[in-house]
Each structure stands twice: as C-alpha cells, then as structure tokens.
Amino acid sequence: MAMIKLEQVSKYYRSEETVSVGMKNISLSFELGEFVAVTGESGSGKSTLLNVISGLDGYEDGELFLFGEETSHYTISDWERYRGTYIGFVFQNYNIIDSYTVYQNVMLALEIQGYNRHERKKRALELIDKVGLTSHKNHKASKLSGGQKQRAVIARALAKDCPVIVADEPTGNLDSASAEQVMKLLHDIAKHKLVVVVTHDYEQVQAYATRKIKMHDGEVVEDKKIKKADIQTLKEVPTPKKLGVLNLFRFAIRNLLATPKKLLFLMIMQILVISVFTIVYTNQISQIREVGLEQSSVFPLVPETRVLIEKRDGSSFNASEIDYFESMRNVKAVYEHANNFYNESRIYVTKNNIFDYGRGRVVATDSAITLNQRDITGTLPKAVNEVVISSYYDFNVGETIKINYGDAYGWYQEGTETSIGTFLVTGIDNLDRETVYFSESFLNQPTSNEVMIDQSRLSRLEENIRYNTTILYDSNKIYIYIPDNYPLTVDLYIEGDGDRTVLSNQTITFYAYDVDYNEVEITLSNLTISEPEFYSYGVMLSEDAFSDLRDTYLLLLENQYLITPRQMISLSVDGYYAGNKVIDTVDSDLYKVYYPANISGSLRELQVFFLSFLAVILLTLFGLFLYSIVHAVTKNVMNARKKDFAIFRSIGANQSTLAQLVVLEQVMMSTIGFIITMLLITFLGSNITFLTADLQYMELKDYFILLGAFMAFGAWLGLRFNKKVFKQSVIETLSLSRGE
C-alpha cells in the first residue's frame, strides 16, 4: 500500500476576479525509500503538488489517500496532526525563525514533537554537527548565509524524525558548492524516508533521484523511475505528543527574549497603559470609599491619619499594650499622650495676638513625621516649641506664632482665648491642609490631668442662655430678657394689660440652644411669676432666677465646654484604609476605638452608589480608549510574527498549542508589566502625595482584579491573533508574509 496516493486531484487558486489552476487531475503514489525529483518550469504546478501532499495546502477535486485512508474529510486539526507526525520541510526561502539561533531552531522541532527532554540537547547538537554548523550553533539565523540557513533547516527537518521530507527548491538561492552539500545531505537521510524535492534544475538532483516527475501547466507529463528505490514499510507510526506546560513556558520565554527590542517596546507600552489605568482606577476607588464621610464634632481635630484608642475600663495603657499597638501592620507610630494633639478642642493660630477670622482656624493636628520633606518649604520641627503649618495661614518660615485652643472661628472674644503656647514656624506645608504639625518632642511630653475649660465655647453658651432663651406662653415661644437696674419682686414678670395674678411655687420650662444650635429644655421649679390678664409685651427674668437658670444650663451642657483629660493613645496611620484595618484588628471587648474622620453621613449610601455607577462608566470608556491604542500596536507586532507562526505550524505545532503559546506570552508580558508597574507606582507613591492617598485603598483583591483584567485582555488579543492566523493555510500565510 502506497504511503501517499493521489487520484485525479486538482487544486485551484481563486482571487476576486479570476480562478487559476494550480494542478489538475493528478494521479500519483509515493513510497517510503523513494527520492523523488519533481521538475518543471515556473508555474507548472510542482510546488502546488508538494504543498498538497505535505498538507500545507488543501485541494478541491479528487482524493488524496494516506495509508489508504481518504483525506477529503480532513479538518484543520487533522492536517495539523498529519504534518506534525509525518512531514519535515525544507523551503527555498528557508522559512527559518530569524530571531532564533541555529540551536534554538533545531530544539524547536524536538520540543514540538515531544522528544525526550533529557536527550534533546544531545540530539540537537548531533544534528547540527551533521549539517556542519557546530561552529555556528549559537548564531542567530538572521546572521547566517543562505547555505548555512538551508543546512540549519535540514537539521530542523531531521530533528522531527518523520518519515517524509519535502523540499521546495532547496538549492534555488544557493551557490553550486552549497547546493551540492544540501543535496548530499538530503540523499543521506533518504534511505528510510520518502524525500520529495521540487527543483527547476534537475541536474543538481540527478545523481541522487530514484524517480523523476515532470509537470507542465498543472499536469504530470512525465513520471519516470531513474533507479531502483529501496522501498520501506513504515513499521511504527510516530505518535504525536502534547507539548507540556514546562515546555510551553520555555517556548514562550524563548520567543519573548528572542526579540529584545520588540519585547522592550511592548513592555514599555504595557507599563504605560497599566500605569494610567491603575491610577484612574485607584482614584475612583478612593473617591468611592471616602465619599459621604464626616468629621466627628466630639473630636474635631483628628484627621484621617490618626485613630484614637481608649480602654473600656478607663485605665492607663501599660508598656506591653503600647508594644502591641506599635507592632500592628498598619500603624506607623503610637503616641501615649494623645491629649497633646488637643483632639477634643478646636485650636487657632494668631500672630502678634491678632486673630484672623478668615485664616486662623486649624482643621486638624498631626505629627510632623507624617510629612514628606518634598511637600514643605523649610525643615521639619524638632524642638518642643517648633511647628509646621499650612501655607493657607499666610505665615513665613522663621515667624513666631501663638496657638490657642477654643472655638474662635466667628466667636472670638477678648479674654476667651486659652494659649497652648508660642511656637516657631520651621516649615510651611505647601499642600494647604490647614493642619498644625507638632514635633515629636512636643507630642511625647507628659500631659496634665487637669480639666480644661474651653472659654470660647463657654462664652457662646452664656450668650445663648442670656440672649436666645424662650418660654412657651399662650402657645407661642417668647424670648426672655434680663433687665438692667430694674429690680423685680417676682422671678418671672410677664408684661401686659389688665390685672396681674401673682403665682407662687410654679414650674417653668425654658428653651435654649447648645453650641451646635440644638434645642435644650431647662426646667426650673418653685418660681414666683406675675401673669397679666392680657399679654402684649414680653417676659422679664430676675437676676436671681437667671442665675439659677444659667447654672442649671451650664451643668447640663458642661461636656460641651469642659475638656476632661482621657487616658487615650493616638495611632498614626497612612489614611482611611489603614485606619479601618486598625479598627478591624483591635479587640473591641477591651478597647474603644475612635476614628473621628470616618463618620458616615446620612447620604453616604446614595453617594457611594452614584459614584460607583459613574466609576463603572468612566473606567469602561477609559478602558475602551486604552484598548484601541493597545490593539493597534499589538496588532502590528503580531502581524509581524505571522511568518514565525506559519513555520511553527509547518513543523507540527497545532492550533491548540499555538493558542496556548500566544496566550501564555501575552499573560506573561501582562504579569511582568503589572509587577513592574506596581513597583514603579509604589515607589512614586512614596514621593507623590496624591498617589499615596489613592494607593492606600488598593487591597489585595483590587490588585488581583486589575491583574486578572490585564491578563484576560492580553489573552484575548492573543486568541484573536491565533484565530486569524488559522483562517489561512500555511502556504497562504508564508506567501503573504513574504509579500509584506
């Protein structure tokens, strides 16, 4: 039974306007052991015949039999399996991987056919030596001469250890000496194989051919046996082996490293795209997770970089507890004397004891070690009386300022200020954070346990009780007033017309406001009031009654103006993400955790939903924009590799293997690019404040989401390219790549 048999096989080439005949009604058979020379003029159909019997190209009419089996039903996968199992190729145009070395080209064939990995290197070196290229084994194929390339291709064909070698004009581009070497090599390997050589110069192959086939206009005009061939029987059918995962990794790494300039270009593009998208992504994440957060009114000076801890039993912290908090992953520093930050008060700055209503109020207090030297003008404070303040306050380095506590903004009155001290400005925070940054010396000094009075708040409360107090009379709330130099004989005097009734032992409810304008009810008993029959004017309160009212009111609201030192510590963190992690870590049964900058507002859920919706739209549009750029660049790079993929296919790599290969390459580039990008962004983030603020929200799941997205995107590009390549036959791809 003939190994390969053609019965009335025809092949046509179609273009948009014409149909040309490649070969028609060909009936031939080929046996192992033959050395067949196929000759004819250009365009006679000899290369078409070679492509059809090797499975590089299909046919339209007739039937091609392989070992007696019809092939007209063969799919692309069937032809791939046939080529990978039985056929070795030697082309006129070499079709060698130019970016590979001679050794890598030969190893490629051994790897694709699943050759024993422990013997590959030895086998490759033997074949390279056999074709006389040992001295050039590590040379890139692009640097070889024509003869050397052709010998390297023969070594690669031999490496497949397949029963059929097809050679299309193997000496067409060679000088006579090189041509003789190549023909002798082909003859030497033909003893147990079928060798089919297409040549326009029969004399070069005449000495070795056992059979001559001549073609003209797509038909066989001569089929002549030159000498007796040693016909062989294929005793063992080669079994194709699947390329292992480790080999795929080697294959992918070799492909990437073989073209360092392309790799560098693609990596730079990957890093740029990943960097831009990651920055936009983290910015959106940070906005979503910070939206709707409000500052605690109890701890108005605590920013998002500080968390307060208090023991539930109110006792002091011991050394082991301090060590515990210092060892926490998200804690940068622990301050035992948290009251030095003036967490529960409000503070303001003055120069020459002049308070600037527009710029004096301080929003937060923090440690100077949280600052980046690049963000300030001047130096960080070291001494107890040194600070860094915001450029918002319009002070200069070297100036002396006074820092007071009390809610002075809009309520400043002479005599209500309470001084924290006089400080030297050593640095200006250029980011306008309206924060006072104390030195470590100041923050680590012991604090007093005395109760502090916020004089400004106390003054506001006294104003409220004196000028904004009402009673409910005749279904209306009426303001009371305290007359000057007008002694009253009753506690409460209600003006009006008509006779008055004096009532004793009365209970009256007064309505006043606290510092935040929340209404407060104060009830006084045992009052004597004078009530007219007809009311028309107002209500007066005696000084004695007012004194009782004020004392009751201030006692009720003493928590709003008395600052009682609490046994608290302050933990320094990077921001909201780290602060929330600390909250999750601390044992809530033992400690109270306060994160004053992280209070959820009433509309937070709605704001989060709205921002999340906008973020999805923005990231989608931005991703599509970046995709268009990456796709255009990657498409051009991939198209340049079509020839290499056609060669892989001719050697025996199937669609599945190449799909895995190209996906693996893209995933590896995406992964490496992502890692480099994250390292780069992390480095820059430690030096660029806005990046630091955004990056703190990047949780492990966010990194995996981004990495997965980039890997999926790279894999998708690779699969699209692979699908496009396999829409064409190997010959079509090689022809197009030569044209390009």
Side-chain angles (χ1 to χ4, degrees), residues 348 411-419 453-456 458-459:
Y348 55 98
W411 288 92
Y412 180 78
Q413 293 183 7
E414 290 291 336
T416 65
E417 71 275 3
T418 306
S419 177
I453 298 176
D454 188 330
Q455 296 290 349
S456 293
L458 178 59
S459 176

Side-chain angles (χ1 to χ4, degrees), residues 228-424:
K228 185 177 180 181
D230 184 11
I231 303 301
Q232 304 288 316
T233 301
L234 189 62
K235 298 179 181 179
E236 183 179 352
V237 177
T239 304
K241 298 179 181 178
K242 187 178 180 180
L243 202 61
V245 175
L246 188 60
N247 285 332
L248 270 175
F249 268 101
R250 289 199 189 103
F251 201 168
I253 292 171
R254 183 190 306 137
N255 281 345
L256 293 175
L257 297 179
T259 53
K261 290 182 179 179
K262 284 183 181 178
L263 176 62
L264 179 61
F265 173 74
L266 287 174
M267 287 305 301
I268 291 174
M269 184 196 66
Q270 291 256 12
I271 290 170
L272 288 174
V273 169
I274 294 173
S275 297
V276 172
F277 190 83
T278 300
I279 290 172
V280 174
Y281 177 84
T282 55
N283 178 261
Q284 294 300 305
I285 291 294
S286 67
Q287 288 188 44
I288 291 170
R289 293 177 182 171
E290 289 183 17
V291 70
L293 295 180
E294 299 177 354
Q295 183 71 37
S296 166
S297 60
V298 178
F299 301 104
L301 290 184
V302 183
E304 73 276 6
T305 53
R306 291 201 293 115
V307 176
L308 302 178
I309 307 290
E310 182 180 31
K311 296 179 72 171
R312 289 199 173 275
D313 61 8
S315 62
S316 301
F317 290 84
N318 57 43
S320 62
E321 289 175 313
I322 298 298
D323 291 340
Y324 161 69
F325 287 109
E326 286 180 338
S327 67
M328 284 187 175
R329 179 180 177 184
N330 293 291
V331 174
K332 297 171 64 177
V334 176
Y335 296 92
E336 296 183 54
H337 308 292
N339 292 325
N340 283 330
F341 287 100
Y342 291 85
N343 305 303
E344 299 173 72
S345 180
R346 296 187 185 273
I347 67 174
Y348 55 98
V349 294
T350 65
K351 183 169 66 172
N352 300 324
N353 287 327
I354 299 174
F355 174 63
D356 184 343
Y357 283 91
R359 297 193 174 207
R361 184 184 177 211
V362 174
V363 171
T365 56
D366 210 342
S367 168
I369 66 169
T370 63
L371 291 169
N372 193 317
Q373 181 65 53
R374 283 175 297 278
D375 294 335
I376 70 170
T377 299
T379 60
L380 296 176
K382 295 181 180 178
V384 173
N385 65 334
E386 294 179 343
V387 292
V388 168
I389 62 173
S390 171
S391 59
Y392 171 82
Y393 301 120
D394 202 23
F395 296 146
N396 299 312
V397 173
E399 288 189 316
T400 299
I401 63 171
K402 193 174 181 181
I403 302 179
N404 300 324
Y405 70 84
D407 194 0
Y409 188 69
W411 288 92
Y412 180 78
Q413 293 183 7
E414 290 291 336
T416 65
E417 71 275 3
T418 306
S419 177
I420 294 174
T422 301
F423 294 85
L424 176 68

